[in-house]
């Protein structure tokens, strides 16, 4: 990002008493009023700059709402950002009719002065009647994606948002840390660069060239169960059934998101362990072209997983690249022989030429990574060897297999 920071959002739910919910409801309504007051003043005066609008609207917000001083400031800044967005649209198209921004969403902004996170997994939030403190509904597993931001001192809390949707409260926690330099930009052109290949599948949602297998079995099972129960409820057709479907969809989304975050973390751990500067995936457009057997759910899961790896890799200074996966499931990584007959069964690979037998997903991962290694050789600027990371070493086009120390 232009300001030199990586920014991430971790979504969780505060565990609230009825009294705390009532206080937050009032605070949300007061926040909307404050933003609309500031928006009106900024619209009438033509002011879109945060500090200038703060000077114009701050006193009025304090007089007409029950917000504290810091929340009043945040509301003026929120309105200024919305007004600036409208101004930008008008500058792009003078014929486009715009109107004053109105704030209707059930949300309220927090920053480090109005919200405090504690090490015990609780949070303190400012309201119109002082602060409330409550626990956060965090995953039991320590590798749930929220924990990587809450427990890593490199990530600092920034502006966050509390929202209310369908009677449920969600806290979108904002984090930032200094953006690292790309590893591939800090090394000389004559340095060896190591690639981690990743195959995306169904039985194993992801397999790496270092022989890490992320099973897709639990993901498929949970999705089938959600679909079965959802179908039964849809046949019922009652209002209660529809409410249950909405609640279930939220639980399913949270489960899938947490599971894919864990898989993405495992892929990044493989890259770190094997000192990889690149992670290579198959080009996602080919996933759609392969269906069937790849169904819509798996297409979605693969896209989400790659997106997660991309932004997590950015935080590590690792580059994510894509290759054409054509024949990556049919090429023998030992002798290079490519044939449809090499793929004995969905999970098994046996080369017709040299007789090598391996797990088919593992073959795909090695071939995906190898294709990117070979692409690098075509660069006129490259004077060193690119190499593919394997479980017990690396393989390069020039030197062949090199065992790890």
């Amino acid at each position: 990002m232009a300001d030199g920071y990586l920014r991430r959002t971790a979504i969780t739910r505060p565990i609230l008493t009825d009294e705390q919910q009532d206080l937050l409801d009032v605070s949300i309504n007061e926040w909307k009023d404050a933003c609309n007051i500031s928006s009106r003043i900024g619209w009438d005066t033509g002011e879109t700059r945060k500090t200038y609008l703060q000077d114009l609207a701050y006193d009025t917000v304090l007089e007409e709402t029950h917000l504290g001083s810091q929340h009043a400031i945040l509301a003026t800044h929120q309105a200024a950002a919305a007004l600036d967005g409208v101004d930008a649209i008008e500058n792009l198209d003078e014929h486009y009719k715009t109107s004053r921004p109105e704030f209707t969403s059930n949300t309220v902004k927090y920053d480090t002065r109005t919200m405090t996170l504690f090490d015990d997994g609780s949070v303190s939030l400012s309201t119109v009647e002082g602060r409330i403190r409550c626990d956060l509904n965090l995953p039991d597993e320590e590798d749930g994606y929220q924990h990587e931001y809450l427990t890593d001192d490199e990530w600092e809390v920034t502006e966050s948002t509390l929202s209310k949707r369908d009677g449920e409260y969600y806290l979108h926690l904002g984090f930032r840390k200094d953006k690292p330099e790309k590893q591939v930009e800090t090394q000389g052109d004559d340095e060896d660069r190591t690639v981690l290949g990743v195959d995306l599948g169904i039985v194993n949602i992801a397999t790496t060239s270092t022989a890490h297998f992320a099973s897709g079995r639990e993901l498929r099972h949970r999705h089938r169960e959600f679909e079965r129960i959802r179908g039964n409820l849809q046949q019922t057709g009652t209002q209660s059934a529809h409410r249950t479907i909405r609640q279930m969809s939220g639980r399913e989304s949270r489960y899938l998101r947490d599971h894919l975050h864990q898989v993405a973390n495992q892929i990044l751990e493989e890259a770190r362990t094997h000192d990889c500067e690149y992670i290579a995936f198959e080009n996602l457009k080919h996933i759609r072209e392969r269906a069937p057997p790849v169904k819509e759910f798996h297409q979605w899961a693969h896209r989400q997983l790659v997106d997660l790896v991309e932004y997590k890799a950015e935080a590590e200074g690792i580059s994510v690249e894509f290759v054409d996966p054509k024949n990556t499931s049919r090429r023998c990584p030992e002798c290079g022989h490519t044939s449809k007959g090499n793929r004995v069964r969905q999970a098994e690979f046996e080369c017709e030429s040299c007789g090598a037998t391996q797990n088919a997903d593992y073959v795909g991962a090695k071939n995906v990574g190898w294709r990117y290694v070979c692409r690098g050789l075509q660069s006129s600027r490259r004077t060193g060897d690119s190499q593919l990371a394997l479980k017990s070493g690396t393989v390069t086009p020039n030197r062949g297999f090199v065992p790890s120390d």
Side-chain angles (χ1 to χ4, degrees), residues 2-63:
D3 62 359
Y5 290 108
L6 289 173
R7 298 181 185 273
R8 299 290 181 259
T9 301
I11 304 174
T12 184
R13 288 187 297 161
I15 302 172
L16 302 164
T17 66
D18 290 344
E19 182 180 357
Q20 289 174 333
Q21 290 184 28
D22 290 340
L23 281 174
L24 288 176
D25 286 345
V26 175
S27 299
I28 287 171
N29 288 329
E30 293 291 295
W31 168 264
K32 288 190 289 187
D33 287 345
C35 290
N36 284 319
I37 291 168
S38 303
S39 175
R40 185 183 67 247
I41 293 173
W43 184 265
D44 291 342
T45 60
E47 186 55 74
T48 64
R49 293 168 295 181
K50 288 196 301 185
T51 54
Y52 286 81
L53 183 56
Q54 176 184 325
D55 290 340
L56 291 172
Y58 175 75
D59 290 339
T60 306
V61 169
L62 286 183
E63 290 171 3

Side-chain angles (χ1 to χ4, degrees), residues 109-360:
K109 286 278 188 182
Y110 283 91
D111 65 359
T112 53
R113 294 185 179 182
T114 53
M115 179 188 77
T116 305
L117 288 175
F118 297 96
D119 292 338
D120 62 358
S122 64
V123 64
S124 170
L125 300 168
S126 292
T127 73
V128 291
E129 293 185 18
R131 284 188 171 241
I132 61 171
R133 183 165 176 172
C134 61
D135 291 329
L136 295 174
N137 186 15
L138 296 168
D140 294 332
E141 301 82 4
E142 290 189 0
D143 56 355
Y145 86 97
Q146 294 93 338
H147 290 291
E148 68 180 279
Y149 305 116
L150 292 167
T151 59
D152 189 341
D153 291 338
E154 288 190 14
W155 291 101
E156 61 176 334
V157 182
T158 59
E159 283 194 1
S160 304
T161 303
L162 177 82
S163 64
K164 182 181 181 181
R165 186 172 65 254
D166 296 328
E168 298 283 349
Y169 297 82
Y170 300 90
L171 193 55
H172 297 244
L173 297 170
F175 294 90
R176 75 177 187 184
K177 74 174 182 178
D178 291 333
K179 193 172 186 178
E181 293 184 16
K182 284 281 188 181
Q183 293 185 29
V184 295
E185 293 174 355
T186 58
Q187 295 182 342
D189 288 335
D190 59 347
E191 293 286 340
D192 293 347
R193 293 173 178 174
T194 307
V195 179
L196 180 74
V198 182
D199 177 76
L200 302 173
I202 297 177
V203 176
N204 295 301
I205 190 170
T207 305
T208 71
S209 59
T210 53
H212 172 76
F213 296 84
S215 174
R217 181 176 299 173
E218 180 66 17
L219 201 66
R220 296 196 313 277
H221 172 72
R222 292 288 292 266
H223 178 65
R224 284 196 298 266
E225 282 298 296
F226 278 124
E227 288 296 295
R228 182 183 63 80
I229 298 171
R230 184 183 289 114
N232 292 337
L233 289 169
Q234 286 174 337
Q235 287 184 349
T236 302
T238 62
Q239 287 186 345
S240 175
H242 286 301
R243 282 197 300 272
T244 304
I245 289 174
R246 287 197 300 271
Q247 293 169 352
M248 280 185 52
S249 296
R251 288 197 297 271
E252 180 184 19
S253 295
R254 289 190 293 276
Y255 167 77
L256 293 174
R257 182 176 62 245
D258 288 343
H259 186 88
L260 292 174
H261 267 283
Q262 293 174 29
V263 175
N265 287 339
Q266 293 161 6
I267 292 172
L268 263 295
E269 181 60 27
E270 289 295 305
R272 286 192 294 266
T273 299
H274 295 272
D275 297 323
C276 298
E277 294 87 13
Y278 292 93
I279 298 174
F281 286 99
E282 57 191 280
N283 193 315
L284 292 183
K285 72 177 184 180
H286 292 276
I287 292 177
R288 293 190 296 271
E289 295 170 0
R290 274 207 318 245
V294 180
K295 297 181 181 179
E296 183 178 349
F297 168 70
H298 293 95
Q299 294 178 29
W300 174 88
H302 291 154
R303 288 194 299 269
Q304 293 294 309
L305 177 60
V306 171
D307 287 345
L308 288 169
V309 171
E310 279 195 285
Y311 89 70
K312 289 173 183 287
E314 183 186 23
E316 303 283 344
I318 297 172
S319 292
V320 173
E321 304 291 344
F322 299 90
V323 301
D324 183 346
K326 184 178 180 181
N327 290 326
T328 51
S329 64
R330 298 174 179 178
R331 176 189 176 276
C332 176
E334 303 300 325
C335 70
H337 175 69
T338 302
S339 169
K340 183 177 181 180
N342 286 348
R343 191 71 177 263
V344 181
R345 279 178 288 275
Q346 176 68 27
E348 294 183 31
F349 180 96
E350 182 176 352
C351 180
E352 294 176 323
S353 177
C354 71
T357 59
Q358 294 183 24
N359 176 279

Side-chain angles (χ1 to χ4, degrees), residues 53-111:
L53 183 56
Q54 176 184 325
D55 290 340
L56 291 172
Y58 175 75
D59 290 339
T60 306
V61 169
L62 286 183
E63 290 171 3
E64 297 187 14
T65 73
H66 295 88
L67 292 182
S69 59
Q70 184 61 22
H71 258 142
I73 292 171
L74 291 175
T76 64
H77 292 180
Q78 182 83 351
L83 290 163
D84 190 51
V86 170
D87 201 36
I89 293 173
E90 289 181 338
N91 289 334
L92 287 172
D93 186 354
E94 61 182 7
H95 301 294
Y96 188 86
K97 294 183 178 179
T98 57
S99 57
R100 177 174 65 82
E102 291 191 33
F103 294 83
T104 59
S105 298
N106 291 322
T107 62
V108 57
K109 286 278 188 182
Y110 283 91
D111 65 359

